[in-house]
Amino acid sequence: MKFYDLEWLAEKCGTDNKYEITAKVAAEARRESEEAAFDKTRPANERYISNVLLEIEENRSPITAEASKAIK
């Protein structure tokens, strides 16, 4: 299990409110989970939160895209 620095996540998510960060990560994980339920071609994966955090780390998440729009 990888632990992420809250300040780093705050910067990536465009907010310093830890509850908003949690809500954004959870909402994105839920969206991915629902997509996987409908798309039977995708492999079953129950690591949605870990995947979202990895996407944030690699700047592939819509959450980081929202943050970069807010900065510009």
Side-chain angles (χ1 to χ4, degrees), residues 1 3 9-10 15 18 21 23-25 27 29 32 37 45 56 62:
M1 173 180 250
F3 293 95
L9 272 174
T15 181
K18 63 183 174 184
I21 295 167
K24 285 182 173 189
V25 170
E32 287 188 12
N45 184 350
I56 291 171

Side-chain angles (χ1 to χ4, degrees), residues 3-16 21-22 24-25 52-54 56-57 63-64 67:
F3 293 95
Y4 288 88
D5 178 39
L6 195 55
E7 292 171 3
W8 176 84
L9 272 174
E11 182 180 320
K12 288 284 197 173
C13 292
T15 181
D16 61 354
I21 295 167
T22 303
K24 285 182 173 189
V25 170
V52 169
L53 291 170
L54 180 62
I56 291 171
E57 183 177 355
I63 296 172
T64 55

Side-chain angles (χ1 to χ4, degrees), residues 10-44:
E11 182 180 320
K12 288 284 197 173
C13 292
T15 181
D16 61 354
N17 184 319
K18 63 183 174 184
Y19 300 107
E20 189 174 347
I21 295 167
T22 303
K24 285 182 173 189
V25 170
E28 184 62 19
R30 174 179 242 173
R31 186 192 62 75
E32 287 188 12
S33 170
E34 290 172 352
E35 279 183 9
F38 289 110
D39 185 1
K40 300 300 181 191
T41 62
R42 293 174 59 180

Side-chain angles (χ1 to χ4, degrees), residues 29 32 44-54:
E32 287 188 12
N45 184 350
E46 297 181 9
R47 299 182 51 208
Y48 299 109
I49 292 177
S50 296
N51 288 342
V52 169
L53 291 170
L54 180 62

